Each structure stands twice: as C-alpha cells, then as structure tokens.
Amino acid sequence: MVACETGGATGDPQTVSYYRRVGGYGIGSGTWSSQKLVDTVMNINPILAASQTTGKVAIVWNAPVDYVGNDINRWGQYENDVWYALSTDRGASFMALSGSIGHAVATSAIPGANITKYEGTSQWKAYCDMAAVITSDENLHIVWGCRKWTDTTSLYRRQSAIFHWSQDVPYIRTVVKAEWDTGGTGTMYAWGSDAAKMSIAECDSRLYVLYTQFGNADQPSADYSANKKVMNGELYMTASNNSGMNWDAPQNLTNSPSPLCADGDCNSDYWASMARYGRTDANGCEGITAGTKVLDIEYINDKSAGGCVQTESGIWTTNPVMWFATPCRDVVAEPGYNDNAGTGYGECYADLPLLVSPDGDTTIILTMENNGLADNSFSIATSYTDGAGWITPVPASGVISSGLVNTVDVQLTFTAPAGAPDPSAWVGKITVTHQASGSPREIPVCMTVASVFYYPESVVLETTCKKIKLWNDGHMVNNAGGYALDFIGDCDTFNVNITSNIYLYDGSPIVCYVKGDDTLRYMAYSYTFTDEFGLRPMVPWTLGDSSFYWKASCEYSTADTAIGFIADYYSSKDASKCSFIIQKLRFFNLTETAINGVLVGEVLDWDIPSDTGSRNGSGFDLTRDMIYQFGGEYNDTLENLCAQNSNDRYGAIAAYPGTTFMNAFTVDNATYVYNTTSPWTILAPFPPGAMYEKMLATEGFDTWSSSDPDSEFTDLSTVVTFGQYDLIPGDTFTVVKVLSTSKTGLTYLNAQVDLARNGGLWSQTCCNKAGDANNDNKVNVGDAVYIISYVFRGGPAPVCPAEGNANGDLTPQGANKINVGDAVYIISYVFRGGPAPVCGVGL
C-alpha cells in the first residue's frame, strides 16, 4: 500500500510512504510492516503495479523536477518528473536503480529512478495523472499526463499530452497530444487538462490507454455547461501492438456531447478507471459476442461538469457511476502526426514573439512526429499576407517514419525583408500536408522585425501590511494571490470559503479611440504583451526608495506603439500608512501626428473576499473622488477565526488632489467580461465599442445594481475614465491616483485614502506645515505675499515646494503647481474660514 501523508497546511509538501502486509487474511492475521519513506512531493498520485505471476512490484509517483532540488519554495504541482521504484521480492526490498531521490527525504528512503529528467526549458512537465501496469512479459509500463509550457515559468491554458515509457522500450513515446487552441470560452475542471485521467491495460498481447478528452482540434471549446462554462469530457481509447512504441488514432468510446447543457443535465464522462488486464466475456453482454476478450471500464457521468468544491466550477449533483465492457480491438495501422509548433509562431499567435533584427534572420526547428503505426509522407508550403519569401523550410518534403525513429526536424529560417521598418510585423502561414488525420496542418506566423524588444517582467511593491505585484506591460496583480493588496497574515487565510489572498484580481489602463471606421481598445487586462490589443513593455523596471517610501517605475505602450505610458508606483514605509499605494501615470503620443478624442482610464477587476465566490457590491464617495467595492455578506455572522464580516472588506480607487476623474462606474463581469455571445463574441472582455460609448457617455459616478433583491452582489469590475484627450506630439498628460483596501470597514478605508490624498506619503520629505510657503512655521497672510512675490516679481521660490502648493494641484507632468491660486487659497483659509492648506506632492 502507498499513501500520501500531509505535513501541514493545504499545499505543503507531503511524504509518500509504503506499507507491506504479509500473512493470512482476516482479523488478527497477517503483519503490517513499519512505515517506509518513498519521497516528499506536491502531487497526491502515487500508484502501485504488481505482476500477476511473479514477485515483481513497482511504485510510481510524481516528484518535483530535479533541477529545483530541495528548494521547497520552487516546488509546484505542475512541474514534476516521473519516478519509479522496483522490487522483485514482493516488496520486501527495492532494487538500486539509476538515479537518486534528490528531494527532502531521509537517506534510508526506498531507491528510485527518474525516467523523465525534465529541464527548466522542457516543453512538457509531468502533472497530476499517471497509471502503470506490469504486463505478462514482466515489463513495467507507465503512462503519465503533462502540461505544456510556453517558457520556464508559464503554462498554456489547458494544452496537454500523455506519454508512455516501458522497460522493454525505455524511451519516452507520445500516446496523444491535445494542443488545440482552447481559447477562453470553455474552462477546465480543477486538476484537469484536455487529455487527462488515463488508465493503461494489457489485453490479447496489446496495450490500451483510456483517458478523458475535452474538446478537439476542430471544436476546442464547443461542449461546455451553460452556467459555469466548464468543459464536458468524453472517454477515448488508443491501442498499440508494439509495446507502446507507436499508438493508433484514439477512438471515442462514449460519444456523449452535451453542448451548453444546464447544470444537472450535462454528460461529462470523467474519473474513469480501466481494469489493468482484459478478460474473456464468456456469456456476452451489451451486444458483445460471447467469447470476446474485453476490458472493463468504470467512470462517473458528471451531470454538472467540474467540482462543486471549487466555487468557479460545477454544482452539487447526484451522478451515476457507469460501467461497460469494450472489446479488445485490433490496432488501426495508419499514420499519426504531431508537431511542436503549438498554436503558431510569433506574438500574434503564441505567448512568445518571433523576433528578427533588421537585415537579420533567425532559425526555429519544427519537429514533426509520427506516433502512428504507418509511415507518413509530408510536404511544406508557405504563403504570405505581408511580403513574400521570408520563410524558408529545409527539407520541404519527405517521410516521417513509424517505429522507433519517428521524427523529422525541419529548419525554418525567418529573414527580415529588405527595408523592413523598425519595428514592423509580418504575417504569413506555413502549411504542412501529410497523410494523417488533420491534414493540412496550418501554422500561422507573425514575425516581428525590431532592433529593441522587451519582455514583461514583474516587481513586488510592499508596505508593512500588504504587497502588490506589478508588471511593466501595465498589469497590476494579474491573478497573483498574496500580492493583490490583500493583508499579510489575514486570519481568513484558513477559511476555506473565502479567497482572502486576493482583493484586486487584475487591473490596467484602458485606452479607447476611433480610427477611421474602427473603434480601438487597448489594455493589459485579459491580454498578454503579444496580443494586438494589449500593452507592451518599452523598458525594464527602475526601482528606488527614500527614507519614507519605495518606488517602482516602468514604461509601456499600446500594441500599435502609438501611445506611450510612464508609470510610477509608490508605497509608504510607515506602518500607519500601509493600506494604500499611489500611482502617477503619464501618457503621451509616440507618433508624429495628432491622435484626437482619446479616452484614457483604468480597469480594476476587484475580487473583494466574499462569503460566496467574488460577489461584491459597490459605492462611491464624491467628497473623496473615490469609487469602491465591498465583499458580499450572506451569513450575517463573523467569519471563521476572524473578527470581521465580508462586508467590512473594501477596495477603492480615488483621485489624488490635482486629478479629477471624468467619470467612474462599476459593471457586472457577466455582461462585460465573460459574455462572448452576439454581438460581442471575440471582442470580449470589455468590447471596444461598448466601452468607448460607456466611457464617453457616463456622467459622474455610477454603480451597478440588481433588479433582483436576492442578487444584491455579483462579480464586478470598476472602470474609471480620467478624461478624453487630444494627444498632440510633444504633450504629456498626468493623472495621480490612490489604490487602497480595508478589511475592517469603510472608516479605515476612508482614513487611509485621506492620508494618501493629503500628501501622507510625501509630506515627511519637507512638508512640515502645509501652506507655510515662507518657511516660518506659520500659515498666515505672509505666505500669500511670499507666493505672489515669487510668481509675479521673481522672488525666491518656496523652500519646500510641497508647502507652497497649498491647494495641492499639479502640473501636467505631476509636479507641484505654485501660482496665484495658492495665495488665494491661503487668504481664504486665513480670513474666510476656507479649507485648510494641504501638502503638495513630493513626486
């Protein structure tokens, strides 16, 4: 028996242990061994396989990839190798195998071997699912699931593969790959991928792999529930007659599509288990001829796809446990085809750009694989939307053999066209015609010609009570739990009903304007730096600090490089001012001609911790130029282990003095983010036309409200419009804004926003007394005279500009504006009881 033993909080590494029982069955009979340590891991998936005739036993498990070693902080459930341990004496002892267990285990652990040895740059890494069998010829066979990686740190949405290894064919062989572009329409089960939950069996001298598949290359997301939009799976099986060296085309066993089904009426075939060995059906059953060799399969017919424990997934339903027997069919000897091009080359189609320097070239290896049981002839052609002849494939035709050597490497050379502008984009297509299913294979290409190109990178800005992750392509947070303006050490971290490590899910600037007949919309929210409507980095991060604050600065632009941004983020080192950050955002025209009527604003997808998912309410405060969201309270009781209710949790954006929002509003995400039906379809989230009209037409502050009294809260986003601008080349506009969160109510939120708006971050640098322009530690008419002398007579400037800027207004560049308005402001305060002076900015 093998088992995982938790060592602490959810998500901590867990030991894999082995126990062995010897002796007769029944109460009081037999003896269990003491616990024997196998490994320390992140995935809960160790399995056993045993021979039917000898004492051979195998333990198979996932362990953290060797290149992260014992660094537990770098372990993850997605990034694993496949290990096995082997015994020939019914588990009494385990053989010394090539390799070692380099993880956090005792030196007396069972010896094992790493069969994958993935590197940091490997395209595939083991995730979650595996199965094993010892066949009648006494060879161990292992199949496992992998997730596809775009680089060393990022995963594709659901793209996955199943691989096979055996002792008699000790090579990693492809069983099936699910690399279609899944898009964002249908979501995935937790702990799932598009090819998942595999079993392996032997029957009639052949191998069979059973698995659940979600979508396919022709319809990647066509079959999902109408409510949660979680994909419905179907059971597929593939067979091999050469010990797993090659596999035939998978066949759909259940064929139970249920597109846009209502929760409770879906047919998602999942969590299947197949007997490891076939049997002869002596009597015949379900239309099978008596005497046929069959494999028994059991699975769950999930009536609400997903797991109800995960709030973003399914609902509670009663699901039938299904059984059927399937004949041990012969293999279908036909070619197979896979390649490593994914969804295409370049930033228009993938997460990484295809970058070529002007007058230069670059080379990529296209590896074509034939995992089928017959040879596959191929030919390659190129076509172009822009230019011609800049893609060269070598070889352009040939045969991908079946058998052990079943790959062909094609060298693709991409050459910058003569005179290509710097920067510029070039679109084309590579077409592979072959003899397997899915021919022709079309690989889109988007080549970027540029002498300078920057990749996104993140920094963490901290206060004494919270953190926020910032990206140099305009993203704030980007779903980074624990770095989302949440509270460090929040007691609700232990409440399974609340995701208290996220307050701000994601945010970014949004830019809308009309160009010809098109309404354009650019934002980092929901887009990567490679998307045509995203924002892209212009320089790396610059970090700085003073005695009183930390600072992070970056530059980015719209994807068409027409509008640039300089963003400066500040956080206080003062523990009493730990619940806000300040951002100064400057934007300007990067072209040589005017861009008129540009709407610039901010999108903030708050997910304030709530009793149910991310359902929030919203409100605003005109005196503070602030709009906020708050958590949904359903139980009217204090949360588990915590002294606050969900409706005491807030997240807000407020204008800094000198900045005035043109408007601000909240919208429901069901309409503006997740709605991909007509007329918005692929234009969601925040469709350009709808956002342009709403940002232009909204007057003042406006919040979402429900017509259903039982639906007071929902998933909301806040949109702020700074203004509509005519961007003349050379002009720079500046806005300064405050982001703040609270877990103890509106009073604390207001206090933190007031501290920020009243120069709380900067005043300690020089502003000891707001309005004290002549620095005599008094505020009186002498300060007004001092300012007038400075403005009109060339007198000395205020020693501390932040003290002279009595009304707190700013120049377009975000500096203190000192003019006659400050003198009038001081006179009004001294003689007429007007508002007290404020400290200007120190940025």
Side-chain angles (χ1 to χ4, degrees), residues 514-551:
V514 176
K515 182 178 181 180
D517 295 331
D518 294 330
T519 301
L520 303 180
R521 183 264 291 116
Y522 297 94
M523 59 185 180
Y525 178 86
S526 191
Y527 290 110
T528 70
F529 76 112
T530 61
D531 289 311
E532 62 176 322
F533 299 117
L535 305 176
R536 61 179 57 188
M538 295 175 64
V539 297
W541 281 101
T542 301
L543 303 179
D545 70 330
S546 73
S547 300
F548 308 106
Y549 61 80
W550 289 280
K551 179 183 178 183

mmCIF file of all heavy atoms in Angstrom, residues 514-551:
data_model
loop_
_atom_site.group_PDB
_atom_site.id
_atom_site.type_symbol
_atom_site.label_atom_id
_atom_site.label_comp_id
_atom_site.label_asym_id
_atom_site.label_seq_id
_atom_site.Cartn_x
_atom_site.Cartn_y
_atom_site.Cartn_z
ATOM 1 N N VAL A 514 -11.412 56.270 -31.733
ATOM 2 C CA VAL A 514 -11.918 55.910 -33.055
ATOM 3 C C VAL A 514 -10.858 56.242 -34.092
ATOM 4 O O VAL A 514 -10.330 57.357 -34.122
ATOM 5 C CB VAL A 514 -13.235 56.645 -33.373
ATOM 6 C CG1 VAL A 514 -13.700 56.326 -34.793
ATOM 7 C CG2 VAL A 514 -14.309 56.270 -32.358
ATOM 8 N N LYS A 515 -10.564 55.241 -34.940
ATOM 9 C CA LYS A 515 -9.601 55.440 -36.013
ATOM 10 C C LYS A 515 -10.265 55.016 -37.308
ATOM 11 O O LYS A 515 -10.496 53.814 -37.528
ATOM 12 C CB LYS A 515 -8.343 54.629 -35.756
ATOM 13 C CG LYS A 515 -7.253 54.826 -36.813
ATOM 14 C CD LYS A 515 -6.007 54.024 -36.453
ATOM 15 C CE LYS A 515 -4.901 54.228 -37.471
ATOM 16 N NZ LYS A 515 -3.679 53.457 -37.129
ATOM 17 N N GLY A 516 -10.609 55.975 -38.142
ATOM 18 C CA GLY A 516 -11.354 55.660 -39.352
ATOM 19 C C GLY A 516 -12.711 55.097 -39.003
ATOM 20 O O GLY A 516 -13.500 55.728 -38.301
ATOM 21 N N ASP A 517 -12.984 53.883 -39.486
ATOM 22 C CA ASP A 517 -14.258 53.218 -39.181
ATOM 23 C C ASP A 517 -14.145 52.266 -37.993
ATOM 24 O O ASP A 517 -15.126 51.606 -37.646
ATOM 25 C CB ASP A 517 -14.734 52.427 -40.414
ATOM 26 C CG ASP A 517 -15.075 53.339 -41.591
ATOM 27 O OD1 ASP A 517 -15.481 54.488 -41.341
ATOM 28 O OD2 ASP A 517 -14.908 52.896 -42.740
ATOM 29 N N ASP A 518 -12.968 52.186 -37.368
ATOM 30 C CA ASP A 518 -12.751 51.232 -36.286
ATOM 31 C C ASP A 518 -12.720 51.926 -34.933
ATOM 32 O O ASP A 518 -12.153 53.024 -34.784
ATOM 33 C CB ASP A 518 -11.425 50.489 -36.481
ATOM 34 C CG ASP A 518 -11.445 49.605 -37.719
ATOM 35 O OD1 ASP A 518 -12.535 49.120 -38.071
ATOM 36 O OD2 ASP A 518 -10.374 49.417 -38.322
ATOM 37 N N THR A 519 -13.318 51.272 -33.959
ATOM 38 C CA THR A 519 -13.165 51.692 -32.575
ATOM 39 C C THR A 519 -12.111 50.798 -31.934
ATOM 40 O O THR A 519 -12.276 49.582 -31.859
ATOM 41 C CB THR A 519 -14.495 51.570 -31.798
ATOM 42 O OG1 THR A 519 -15.478 52.392 -32.437
ATOM 43 C CG2 THR A 519 -14.321 52.029 -30.358
ATOM 44 N N LEU A 520 -11.024 51.407 -31.490
ATOM 45 C CA LEU A 520 -9.901 50.660 -30.948
ATOM 46 C C LEU A 520 -9.967 50.658 -29.425
ATOM 47 O O LEU A 520 -10.418 51.614 -28.800
ATOM 48 C CB LEU A 520 -8.579 51.267 -31.408
ATOM 49 C CG LEU A 520 -8.379 51.373 -32.928
ATOM 50 C CD1 LEU A 520 -7.026 51.988 -33.246
ATOM 51 C CD2 LEU A 520 -8.491 50.000 -33.590
ATOM 52 N N ARG A 521 -9.514 49.560 -28.834
ATOM 53 C CA ARG A 521 -9.429 49.460 -27.376
ATOM 54 C C ARG A 521 -8.179 48.693 -27.013
ATOM 55 O O ARG A 521 -7.957 47.593 -27.498
ATOM 56 C CB ARG A 521 -10.677 48.771 -26.811
ATOM 57 C CG ARG A 521 -10.712 48.688 -25.295
ATOM 58 C CD ARG A 521 -10.196 47.355 -24.777
ATOM 59 N NE ARG A 521 -11.099 46.269 -25.091
ATOM 60 C CZ ARG A 521 -10.796 45.256 -25.891
ATOM 61 N NH1 ARG A 521 -9.595 45.211 -26.462
ATOM 62 N NH2 ARG A 521 -11.660 44.280 -26.120
ATOM 63 N N TYR A 522 -7.334 49.300 -26.170
ATOM 64 C CA TYR A 522 -6.105 48.667 -25.727
ATOM 65 C C TYR A 522 -6.104 48.577 -24.201
ATOM 66 O O TYR A 522 -6.520 49.508 -23.512
ATOM 67 C CB TYR A 522 -4.876 49.471 -26.171
ATOM 68 C CG TYR A 522 -4.720 49.567 -27.666
ATOM 69 C CD1 TYR A 522 -5.235 50.651 -28.375
ATOM 70 C CD2 TYR A 522 -4.051 48.570 -28.372
ATOM 71 C CE1 TYR A 522 -5.101 50.735 -29.754
ATOM 72 C CE2 TYR A 522 -3.905 48.649 -29.751
ATOM 73 C CZ TYR A 522 -4.438 49.729 -30.433
ATOM 74 O OH TYR A 522 -4.304 49.813 -31.790
ATOM 75 N N MET A 523 -5.628 47.446 -23.676
ATOM 76 C CA MET A 523 -5.494 47.275 -22.230
ATOM 77 C C MET A 523 -4.629 46.048 -21.976
ATOM 78 O O MET A 523 -4.521 45.159 -22.826
ATOM 79 C CB MET A 523 -6.860 47.126 -21.559
ATOM 80 C CG MET A 523 -7.690 45.959 -22.062
ATOM 81 S SD MET A 523 -9.341 45.941 -21.317
ATOM 82 C CE MET A 523 -10.021 44.471 -22.131
ATOM 83 N N ALA A 524 -4.027 45.993 -20.798
ATOM 84 C CA ALA A 524 -3.286 44.793 -20.408
ATOM 85 C C ALA A 524 -4.225 43.755 -19.822
ATOM 86 O O ALA A 524 -3.950 42.555 -19.899
ATOM 87 C CB ALA A 524 -2.194 45.151 -19.402
ATOM 88 N N TYR A 525 -5.336 44.200 -19.241
ATOM 89 C CA TYR A 525 -6.300 43.285 -18.637
ATOM 90 C C TYR A 525 -6.742 42.243 -19.663
ATOM 91 O O TYR A 525 -7.185 42.586 -20.760
ATOM 92 C CB TYR A 525 -7.522 44.059 -18.140
ATOM 93 C CG TYR A 525 -8.601 43.181 -17.532
ATOM 94 C CD1 TYR A 525 -8.538 42.824 -16.194
ATOM 95 C CD2 TYR A 525 -9.649 42.705 -18.296
ATOM 96 C CE1 TYR A 525 -9.518 42.009 -15.630
ATOM 97 C CE2 TYR A 525 -10.629 41.892 -17.744
ATOM 98 C CZ TYR A 525 -10.559 41.548 -16.410
ATOM 99 O OH TYR A 525 -11.525 40.741 -15.865
ATOM 100 N N SER A 526 -6.602 40.955 -19.319
ATOM 101 C CA SER A 526 -7.027 39.818 -20.132
ATOM 102 C C SER A 526 -6.165 39.612 -21.373
ATOM 103 O O SER A 526 -6.403 38.678 -22.128
ATOM 104 C CB SER A 526 -8.490 39.957 -20.549
ATOM 105 O OG SER A 526 -8.970 38.760 -21.109
ATOM 106 N N TYR A 527 -5.164 40.462 -21.586
ATOM 107 C CA TYR A 527 -4.297 40.312 -22.747
ATOM 108 C C TYR A 527 -2.853 40.152 -22.299
ATOM 109 O O TYR A 527 -2.465 40.583 -21.211
ATOM 110 C CB TYR A 527 -4.402 41.518 -23.678
ATOM 111 C CG TYR A 527 -5.721 41.636 -24.406
ATOM 112 C CD1 TYR A 527 -6.625 42.638 -24.090
ATOM 113 C CD2 TYR A 527 -6.055 40.732 -25.405
ATOM 114 C CE1 TYR A 527 -7.845 42.743 -24.753
ATOM 115 C CE2 TYR A 527 -7.254 40.825 -26.078
ATOM 116 C CZ TYR A 527 -8.150 41.830 -25.749
ATOM 117 O OH TYR A 527 -9.347 41.919 -26.405
ATOM 118 N N THR A 528 -2.055 39.543 -23.172
ATOM 119 C CA THR A 528 -0.617 39.485 -22.937
ATOM 120 C C THR A 528 0.052 40.553 -23.792
ATOM 121 O O THR A 528 -0.582 41.186 -24.650
ATOM 122 C CB THR A 528 -0.043 38.109 -23.316
ATOM 123 O OG1 THR A 528 -0.073 37.955 -24.745
ATOM 124 C CG2 THR A 528 -0.861 36.986 -22.676
ATOM 125 N N PHE A 529 1.342 40.726 -23.582
ATOM 126 C CA PHE A 529 2.086 41.741 -24.330
ATOM 127 C C PHE A 529 2.176 41.391 -25.808
ATOM 128 O O PHE A 529 2.559 42.225 -26.627
ATOM 129 C CB PHE A 529 3.483 41.899 -23.740
ATOM 130 C CG PHE A 529 4.443 40.805 -24.090
ATOM 131 C CD1 PHE A 529 5.533 41.057 -24.911
ATOM 132 C CD2 PHE A 529 4.273 39.513 -23.615
ATOM 133 C CE1 PHE A 529 6.431 40.054 -25.225
ATOM 134 C CE2 PHE A 529 5.163 38.513 -23.916
ATOM 135 C CZ PHE A 529 6.246 38.780 -24.735
ATOM 136 N N THR A 530 1.814 40.162 -26.189
ATOM 137 C CA THR A 530 1.886 39.774 -27.595
ATOM 138 C C THR A 530 0.568 39.965 -28.331
ATOM 139 O O THR A 530 0.516 39.790 -29.542
ATOM 140 C CB THR A 530 2.281 38.300 -27.710
ATOM 141 O OG1 THR A 530 1.288 37.494 -27.060
ATOM 142 C CG2 THR A 530 3.622 38.043 -27.054
ATOM 143 N N ASP A 531 -0.504 40.307 -27.621
ATOM 144 C CA ASP A 531 -1.804 40.468 -28.266
ATOM 145 C C ASP A 531 -1.900 41.806 -28.989
ATOM 146 O O ASP A 531 -1.330 42.806 -28.532
ATOM 147 C CB ASP A 531 -2.935 40.372 -27.236
ATOM 148 C CG ASP A 531 -3.121 38.959 -26.718
ATOM 149 O OD1 ASP A 531 -3.188 38.047 -27.553
ATOM 150 O OD2 ASP A 531 -3.192 38.778 -25.492
ATOM 151 N N GLU A 532 -2.675 41.814 -30.062
ATOM 152 C CA GLU A 532 -2.755 43.036 -30.866
ATOM 153 C C GLU A 532 -3.515 44.150 -30.168
ATOM 154 O O GLU A 532 -3.447 45.304 -30.575
ATOM 155 C CB GLU A 532 -3.391 42.738 -32.229
ATOM 156 C CG GLU A 532 -4.814 42.220 -32.173
ATOM 157 C CD GLU A 532 -5.398 42.051 -33.563
ATOM 158 O OE1 GLU A 532 -5.115 42.912 -34.430
ATOM 159 O OE2 GLU A 532 -6.134 41.075 -33.781
ATOM 160 N N PHE A 533 -4.247 43.833 -29.090
ATOM 161 C CA PHE A 533 -4.951 44.881 -28.354
ATOM 162 C C PHE A 533 -4.383 45.043 -26.943
ATOM 163 O O PHE A 533 -5.020 45.628 -26.074
ATOM 164 C CB PHE A 533 -6.442 44.564 -28.279
ATOM 165 C CG PHE A 533 -7.104 44.480 -29.612
ATOM 166 C CD1 PHE A 533 -7.674 43.303 -30.060
ATOM 167 C CD2 PHE A 533 -7.139 45.587 -30.456
ATOM 168 C CE1 PHE A 533 -8.274 43.220 -31.298
ATOM 169 C CE2 PHE A 533 -7.735 45.514 -31.704
ATOM 170 C CZ PHE A 533 -8.311 44.325 -32.131
ATOM 171 N N GLY A 534 -3.184 44.494 -26.709
ATOM 172 C CA GLY A 534 -2.582 44.580 -25.391
ATOM 173 C C GLY A 534 -1.679 45.791 -25.248
ATOM 174 O O GLY A 534 -1.665 46.721 -26.058
ATOM 175 N N LEU A 535 -0.928 45.802 -24.163
ATOM 176 C CA LEU A 535 0.103 46.800 -23.904
ATOM 177 C C LEU A 535 1.435 46.074 -23.842
ATOM 178 O O LEU A 535 1.505 44.936 -23.395
ATOM 179 C CB LEU A 535 -0.170 47.532 -22.581
ATOM 180 C CG LEU A 535 -1.544 48.200 -22.442
ATOM 181 C CD1 LEU A 535 -1.714 48.793 -21.041
ATOM 182 C CD2 LEU A 535 -1.736 49.275 -23.497
ATOM 183 N N ARG A 536 2.499 46.741 -24.282
ATOM 184 C CA ARG A 536 3.782 46.055 -24.332
ATOM 185 C C ARG A 536 4.883 46.884 -23.680
ATOM 186 O O ARG A 536 4.878 48.108 -23.737
ATOM 187 C CB ARG A 536 4.160 45.713 -25.770
ATOM 188 C CG ARG A 536 4.307 46.879 -26.697
ATOM 189 C CD ARG A 536 4.714 46.411 -28.087
ATOM 190 N NE ARG A 536 3.758 45.451 -28.619
ATOM 191 C CZ ARG A 536 3.953 44.762 -29.745
ATOM 192 N NH1 ARG A 536 5.058 44.928 -30.434
ATOM 193 N NH2 ARG A 536 3.044 43.923 -30.173
ATOM 194 N N PRO A 537 5.837 46.201 -23.021
ATOM 195 C CA PRO A 537 6.909 46.910 -22.310
ATOM 196 C C PRO A 537 7.790 47.707 -23.270
ATOM 197 O O PRO A 537 8.020 47.299 -24.412
ATOM 198 C CB PRO A 537 7.706 45.784 -21.655
ATOM 199 C CG PRO A 537 6.812 44.585 -21.684
ATOM 200 C CD PRO A 537 5.942 44.737 -22.884
ATOM 201 N N MET A 538 8.289 48.828 -22.756
ATOM 202 C CA MET A 538 9.236 49.643 -23.522
ATOM 203 C C MET A 538 10.629 49.647 -22.893
ATOM 204 O O MET A 538 11.618 49.826 -23.590
ATOM 205 C CB MET A 538 8.721 51.077 -23.644
ATOM 206 C CG MET A 538 7.434 51.219 -24.459
ATOM 207 S SD MET A 538 6.774 52.902 -24.478
ATOM 208 C CE MET A 538 8.069 53.788 -25.337
ATOM 209 N N VAL A 539 10.688 49.467 -21.576
ATOM 210 C CA VAL A 539 11.975 49.432 -20.874
ATOM 211 C C VAL A 539 11.846 48.487 -19.684
ATOM 212 O O VAL A 539 10.740 48.169 -19.253
ATOM 213 C CB VAL A 539 12.406 50.834 -20.361
ATOM 214 C CG1 VAL A 539 12.616 51.799 -21.509
ATOM 215 C CG2 VAL A 539 11.387 51.376 -19.372
ATOM 216 N N PRO A 540 12.960 48.038 -19.104
ATOM 217 C CA PRO A 540 12.887 47.261 -17.863
ATOM 218 C C PRO A 540 12.472 48.159 -16.692
ATOM 219 O O PRO A 540 12.427 49.386 -16.794
ATOM 220 C CB PRO A 540 14.324 46.752 -17.681
ATOM 221 C CG PRO A 540 14.977 46.938 -19.008
ATOM 222 C CD PRO A 540 14.317 48.102 -19.651
ATOM 223 N N TRP A 541 12.197 47.525 -15.559
ATOM 224 C CA TRP A 541 11.828 48.250 -14.350
ATOM 225 C C TRP A 541 12.996 49.081 -13.809
ATOM 226 O O TRP A 541 14.163 48.702 -13.946
ATOM 227 C CB TRP A 541 11.391 47.291 -13.250
ATOM 228 C CG TRP A 541 9.996 46.791 -13.403
ATOM 229 C CD1 TRP A 541 9.609 45.585 -13.896
ATOM 230 C CD2 TRP A 541 8.791 47.487 -13.051
ATOM 231 N NE1 TRP A 541 8.235 45.481 -13.879
ATOM 232 C CE2 TRP A 541 7.708 46.633 -13.357
ATOM 233 C CE3 TRP A 541 8.525 48.734 -12.504
ATOM 234 C CZ2 TRP A 541 6.387 46.993 -13.144
ATOM 235 C CZ3 TRP A 541 7.205 49.108 -12.292
ATOM 236 C CH2 TRP A 541 6.157 48.244 -12.604
ATOM 237 N N THR A 542 12.659 50.218 -13.187
ATOM 238 C CA THR A 542 13.606 51.002 -12.405
ATOM 239 C C THR A 542 13.073 51.078 -10.984
ATOM 240 O O THR A 542 11.912 51.436 -10.767
ATOM 241 C CB THR A 542 13.757 52.427 -12.973
ATOM 242 O OG1 THR A 542 14.218 52.347 -14.323
ATOM 243 C CG2 THR A 542 14.741 53.228 -12.146
ATOM 244 N N LEU A 543 13.900 50.712 -10.007
ATOM 245 C CA LEU A 543 13.479 50.695 -8.617
ATOM 246 C C LEU A 543 14.238 51.757 -7.831
ATOM 247 O O LEU A 543 15.407 52.050 -8.115
ATOM 248 C CB LEU A 543 13.732 49.321 -7.992
ATOM 249 C CG LEU A 543 13.074 48.131 -8.688
ATOM 250 C CD1 LEU A 543 13.439 46.832 -7.977
ATOM 251 C CD2 LEU A 543 11.561 48.292 -8.732
ATOM 252 N N GLY A 544 13.567 52.344 -6.847
ATOM 253 C CA GLY A 544 14.190 53.346 -5.994
ATOM 254 C C GLY A 544 13.449 53.451 -4.687
ATOM 255 O O GLY A 544 12.403 52.857 -4.485
ATOM 256 N N ASP A 545 14.030 54.216 -3.760
ATOM 257 C CA ASP A 545 13.346 54.441 -2.496
ATOM 258 C C ASP A 545 13.926 55.665 -1.814
ATOM 259 O O ASP A 545 14.953 56.203 -2.238
ATOM 260 C CB ASP A 545 13.432 53.214 -1.596
ATOM 261 C CG ASP A 545 14.830 52.965 -1.061
ATOM 262 O OD1 ASP A 545 15.815 53.316 -1.748
ATOM 263 O OD2 ASP A 545 14.931 52.424 0.041
ATOM 264 N N SER A 546 13.237 56.122 -0.787
ATOM 265 C CA SER A 546 13.715 57.200 0.071
ATOM 266 C C SER A 546 13.570 56.700 1.497
ATOM 267 O O SER A 546 13.287 55.530 1.742
ATOM 268 C CB SER A 546 12.889 58.461 -0.156
ATOM 269 O OG SER A 546 11.595 58.306 0.417
ATOM 270 N N SER A 547 13.736 57.614 2.448
ATOM 271 C CA SER A 547 13.550 57.218 3.843
ATOM 272 C C SER A 547 12.110 56.876 4.149
ATOM 273 O O SER A 547 11.819 56.230 5.160
ATOM 274 C CB SER A 547 14.013 58.347 4.765
ATOM 275 O OG SER A 547 15.383 58.634 4.563
ATOM 276 N N PHE A 548 11.189 57.302 3.259
ATOM 277 C CA PHE A 548 9.775 57.210 3.590
ATOM 278 C C PHE A 548 8.965 56.344 2.633
ATOM 279 O O PHE A 548 7.847 55.981 2.943
ATOM 280 C CB PHE A 548 9.160 58.616 3.642
ATOM 281 C CG PHE A 548 9.917 59.547 4.532
ATOM 282 C CD1 PHE A 548 10.719 60.540 3.991
ATOM 283 C CD2 PHE A 548 9.872 59.411 5.903
ATOM 284 C CE1 PHE A 548 11.432 61.404 4.813
ATOM 285 C CE2 PHE A 548 10.577 60.257 6.736
ATOM 286 C CZ PHE A 548 11.366 61.262 6.190
ATOM 287 N N TYR A 549 9.492 56.024 1.450
ATOM 288 C CA TYR A 549 8.698 55.253 0.504
ATOM 289 C C TYR A 549 9.579 54.397 -0.394
ATOM 290 O O TYR A 549 10.775 54.617 -0.526
ATOM 291 C CB TYR A 549 7.818 56.169 -0.349
ATOM 292 C CG TYR A 549 8.584 57.185 -1.193
ATOM 293 C CD1 TYR A 549 9.172 56.815 -2.406
ATOM 294 C CD2 TYR A 549 8.703 58.505 -0.785
ATOM 295 C CE1 TYR A 549 9.859 57.732 -3.169
ATOM 296 C CE2 TYR A 549 9.387 59.439 -1.546
ATOM 297 C CZ TYR A 549 9.973 59.035 -2.733
ATOM 298 O OH TYR A 549 10.667 59.945 -3.494
ATOM 299 N N TRP A 550 8.924 53.369 -0.978
ATOM 300 C CA TRP A 550 9.511 52.595 -2.063
ATOM 301 C C TRP A 550 8.906 53.063 -3.377
ATOM 302 O O TRP A 550 7.731 53.483 -3.423
ATOM 303 C CB TRP A 550 9.235 51.109 -1.884
ATOM 304 C CG TRP A 550 9.991 50.459 -0.777
ATOM 305 C CD1 TRP A 550 11.287 50.030 -0.788
ATOM 306 C CD2 TRP A 550 9.484 50.145 0.527
ATOM 307 N NE1 TRP A 550 11.621 49.461 0.412
ATOM 308 C CE2 TRP A 550 10.531 49.518 1.249
ATOM 309 C CE3 TRP A 550 8.255 50.326 1.158
ATOM 310 C CZ2 TRP A 550 10.395 49.079 2.554
ATOM 311 C CZ3 TRP A 550 8.103 49.885 2.468
ATOM 312 C CH2 TRP A 550 9.159 49.280 3.149
ATOM 313 N N LYS A 551 9.657 52.933 -4.456
ATOM 314 C CA LYS A 551 9.188 53.405 -5.766
ATOM 315 C C LYS A 551 9.575 52.399 -6.836
ATOM 316 O O LYS A 551 10.666 51.834 -6.822
ATOM 317 C CB LYS A 551 9.799 54.772 -6.092
ATOM 318 C CG LYS A 551 9.399 55.338 -7.457
ATOM 319 C CD LYS A 551 10.110 56.657 -7.722
ATOM 320 C CE LYS A 551 9.758 57.216 -9.095
ATOM 321 N NZ LYS A 551 10.493 58.464 -9.404
#
